[in-house]
Amino acid sequence: MSEFFLSPKYRAKLLLALGYVCISVGCGSGNQNQPEEELTKVRFMADWLAVPEQGGFFQALAKGYYKEVGLDVEIMHRTGNTMQTLVVSQGAADLSIGGSDEVLLAMGKGIRIKMLSGLFQNHPYCLMFHEGRRVDSFEDLDGRRVMASPGSTWISYIEQKYKIKLDLIPLEQTVQRFLADSTREFIQAVFITNEPFVALQAGVKTETLLISESGWNPYKVIFSSRQFIRNEPEIVAAFLDASTRGWKDYMQNDPSPAHEMIADRNHAMSLEYMMFIRKSLKDFHIIEGNPSKGQAFGKLDPDRLTREMQILKDLGLVETVYGVDQMIASDYLPRVGAQVD
């Protein structure tokens, strides 16, 4: 059964298309010489190099779930400061993932994209401290030197909310400076699923403070351009269905199909490292969220997104708070949460 709701009009089109495939190439195994069903190419842009935070997509690719719904999915990888929102809006990729704050900021600049589904219910961004140096509150960060990406929305949020000022230095793509800090006072913005493992492997114990504890907790979402959503509704629905199946399989069953493909693309990913990340996704309720808070896999809460955009407006980062229909292509949201245990 499909995890995503498809309107009757689009469902009818999809059934007709599947019926045509059966007539054209044959359903069943009677004729082994029949040509293989032609697959539709889909370019999906991830938000970084191959990592287990993309594990469900790789599981779907490795186990043939995309092919089963007629798609030939290419997972593209973001490098440097490439903005996925621009890549998708310009047609160089069909779908992508990114923070809901990134998508809302892009919308505020007139980029014609829409969210399709939630991916991370809770954002894994955190501040990493040396063991015993964790601050008790965000107010205690006032004047502290923090390595982070300049312009990140969470920085503006906590500085305004807690009336503090961080001493920011530009983020580097390694934790070497953190590891080499003899004062043990260095603070770095990282993913809780990732860099603490690297530090521990280097013999440095850490503590963390999740940015979400400040009240700023953007989703990570799957999004596409308005044009692609309008022109290719069956492809969008098929991609989301197969991706959901991949994520449930990756989190509940043997993750090795995805891990083998990830390790082949990213040689920094050892099996131990990948299993740490997958466990962190579970332990911190990154994917499925907390049911007691109304969170569920794939869900996008309109009220939560509206509050998020209001915060962006209050911070002076956008001029207008959009309506829900402008932010979300709601036909594709899960009818009920597909729990990923």
Side-chain angles (χ1 to χ4, degrees):
M1 182 181 294
S2 172
E3 300 291 353
F4 288 85
F5 173 70
L6 196 59
S7 68
K9 177 180 71 173
Y10 294 153
R11 188 174 297 277
K13 287 184 178 180
L14 184 57
L15 289 173
L16 285 172
L18 291 173
Y20 176 77
V21 168
C22 284
I23 293 170
S24 300
V25 305
C27 294
S29 56
N31 186 347
Q32 300 300 320
N33 295 320
Q34 290 278 10
E36 186 176 335
E37 176 187 343
E38 184 177 350
L39 301 176
T40 300
K41 183 74 174 180
V42 174
R43 300 161 301 166
F44 170 66
M45 187 174 191
D47 56 349
W48 192 233
L49 305 178
V51 288
E53 287 92 344
Q54 305 156 13
F57 302 112
F58 279 104
Q59 192 85 342
L61 186 62
K63 297 190 75 171
Y65 298 157
Y66 291 125
K67 284 188 176 181
E68 288 181 22
V69 294
L71 304 181
D72 174 16
V73 173
E74 175 191 2
I75 299 180
M76 305 159 59
H77 295 287
R78 172 180 176 266
T79 57
N81 295 318
T82 304
M83 295 179 64
Q84 305 97 277
T85 52
L86 284 176
V87 173
V88 168
S89 67
Q90 294 170 357
D94 302 314
L95 303 106
S96 186
I97 52 176
S100 55
D101 55 335
E102 300 170 55
V103 175
L104 293 174
L105 288 172
M107 290 178 182
K109 295 176 181 176
I111 296 176
R112 297 181 59 78
I113 53 179
K114 272 191 175 184
M115 302 181 206
L116 295 162
S117 171
L119 177 58
F120 289 0
Q121 291 294 301
N122 292 300
H123 206 287
Y125 221 43
C126 71
L127 297 176
M128 184 169 70
F129 308 84
H130 286 269
E131 186 180 48
R133 296 293 195 272
R134 183 186 186 275
V135 300
D136 294 322
S137 68
F138 287 94
E139 288 93 340
D140 294 334
L141 290 169
D142 192 26
R144 295 289 301 274
R145 175 161 288 191
V146 179
M147 179 183 279
S149 296
S152 297
T153 51
W154 69 266
I155 296 173
S156 299
Y157 176 80
I158 67 167
E159 286 188 332
Q160 179 169 305
K161 179 177 180 178
Y162 297 101
K163 297 178 173 56
I164 63 174
K165 189 68 177 176
L166 303 179
D167 180 11
L168 293 168
I169 54 177
L171 184 67
E172 298 171 3
Q173 299 302 330
T174 73
V175 294
Q176 294 308 310
R177 191 165 176 178
F178 180 93
L179 299 177
D181 173 40
S182 60
T183 69
R184 301 179 71 239
E185 296 297 326
F186 197 84
I187 304 171
Q188 184 167 342
V190 301
F191 269 29
I192 202 165
T193 55
N194 204 301
E195 284 84 357
F197 174 86
V198 178
L200 187 61
Q201 291 296 100
V204 177
K205 295 181 179 180
T206 63
E207 295 182 71
T208 56
L209 176 64
L210 281 164
I211 299 298
S212 61
E213 294 181 27
S214 71
W216 182 245
N217 186 23
Y219 290 102
K220 181 167 283 190
V221 299
I222 302 173
F223 66 91
S224 185
S225 69
R226 295 188 179 197
Q227 180 179 2
F228 190 78
I229 295 169
R230 181 177 62 252
N231 293 344
E232 304 292 353
E234 295 91 351
I235 294 175
V236 171
F239 176 84
L240 293 174
D241 280 350
S243 297
T244 296
R245 185 182 175 192
W247 272 107
K248 292 178 71 175
D249 192 349
Y250 176 72
M251 296 299 290
Q252 295 174 359
N253 302 314
D254 177 14
S256 60
H259 286 174
E260 289 174 8
M261 191 171 284
I262 291 168
D264 185 58
R265 297 192 184 198
N266 184 355
H267 296 164
M269 289 288 115
S270 66
L271 177 59
E272 185 180 9
Y273 195 177
M274 290 187 286
M275 292 303 290
F276 174 91
I277 293 173
R278 179 173 175 268
K279 183 176 185 297
S280 296
L281 291 172
K282 289 186 175 185
D283 291 347
F284 293 101
H285 306 287
I286 302 298
I287 301 294
E288 84 287 4
N290 187 338
S292 67
K293 296 180 179 180
Q295 298 175 337
F297 179 72
K299 184 174 180 180
L300 289 176
D301 182 351
D303 292 337
R304 178 174 163 184
L305 285 171
T306 300
R307 288 194 300 271
E308 186 176 317
M309 197 159 200
Q310 183 62 55
I311 290 172
L312 294 175
K313 185 176 184 295
D314 294 342
L315 293 172
L317 299 175
V318 296
E319 295 181 357
T320 305
V321 176
Y322 289 132
V324 173
D325 61 333
Q326 294 176 287
M327 294 188 283
I328 309 171
S330 55
D331 276 356
Y332 301 95
L333 290 177
R335 200 178 296 192
V336 293
Q339 286 296 312
V340 179
D341 301 320

